[in-house]
Amino acid sequence: MNIELDSLVLTRYSEEKHKRLKENFESGESHSDFIYQIGSRLENSKNNNRSIYQSAFVVEDLGVPVGYLFISNRIRDEVFLEYAVLKEYRGMGYGSDIVRQTTDYLFQNHNIKDIRLDIDPSNKNSINTAEACGYTLDEDEFASRNYTGRMQFVQDSTYYVSKRR
């Protein structure tokens, strides 16, 4: 299952095509703790053609892998997104494209009303990207909700942004 966005394509992991992308992320080329989960999430999602939820995707631009996107399980009408851009493609607008295009796709095609991003507070570029895409800080509201299975992650991070339709 591929998802065609405006200028990007979300594809399922293929070892032959995306091995270097997975290796780069697994080597820890980021200061975020979740970066080490990317390889296993890609592997676990590669055969999930039934649902976009609880799935990891390789983000491609003109067939070139530039990043990663994870869409969480749907909770009511909300999802969480995690994304990362390969080091050599950072600063080229891919982070903004991933966030903006995926947000638009989910709002328009999946009856999602609320999308949340969990961002490492030290990652100022991701915070700036999220805010430029219309996401706003909502730590108090997020903490007041019961997100079964996500509370440990929530307690380990302190910057939550969301965008509502």
Side-chain angles (χ1 to χ4, degrees):
M1 168 195 297
N2 290 346
I3 299 173
E4 294 189 24
L5 304 175
D6 291 339
S7 66
L8 302 173
V9 176
L10 307 180
T11 61
R12 296 292 179 175
Y13 173 72
S14 163
E15 181 139 6
E16 303 82 45
K17 184 174 183 181
H18 304 123
K19 185 176 182 179
R20 190 182 69 76
L21 172 126
K22 181 181 165 194
E23 289 170 350
N24 284 350
F25 281 128
E26 286 178 333
S27 70
E29 289 188 8
S30 171
H31 47 64
S32 175
D33 291 337
F34 93 88
I35 209 80
Y36 300 106
Q37 301 172 11
I38 289 176
S40 61
R41 284 191 171 165
L42 288 168
E43 282 286 341
N44 293 337
S45 297
K46 70 181 176 184
N47 296 320
N48 179 5
N49 288 316
R50 295 174 299 160
S51 175
I52 65 165
Y53 303 111
Q54 199 62 26
S55 291
F57 296 90
V58 174
V59 179
E60 295 183 348
D61 182 20
L62 300 174
V64 176
V66 297
Y68 152 90
L69 174 75
F70 179 78
I71 302 173
S72 74
N73 273 338
R74 184 175 176 156
I75 303 170
R76 296 177 294 279
D77 56 0
E78 303 172 351
V79 294
F80 289 84
L81 299 181
E82 295 173 355
Y83 73 96
V85 176
L86 284 170
K87 191 174 186 175
E88 65 259 34
Y89 296 105
R90 292 180 190 156
M92 302 171 84
Y94 285 112
S96 296
D97 288 345
I98 292 168
V99 172
R100 187 174 293 113
Q101 291 179 36
T102 303
T103 298
D104 291 346
Y105 171 80
L106 290 168
F107 282 161
Q108 293 169 9
N109 298 292
H110 287 273
N111 199 29
I112 297 296
K113 304 235 186 293
D114 198 8
I115 300 173
R116 298 183 186 275
L117 303 174
D118 306 316
I119 302 173
D120 180 335
S122 68
N123 190 341
K124 301 304 180 199
N125 289 336
S126 285
I127 292 169
N128 292 339
T129 293
E131 291 174 349
C133 292
Y135 282 74
T136 57
L137 181 65
D138 73 342
E139 184 176 342
D140 293 334
E141 191 218 331
F142 184 89
S144 72
R145 293 176 173 230
N146 179 19
Y147 289 99
T148 305
R150 300 224 17 117
M151 289 314 295
Q152 185 58 48
F153 185 76
V154 168
Q155 292 166 356
D156 293 342
S157 184
T158 58
Y159 199 85
Y160 317 105
V161 292
S162 70
K163 185 168 183 176
R164 293 187 175 92
R165 177 160 57 143

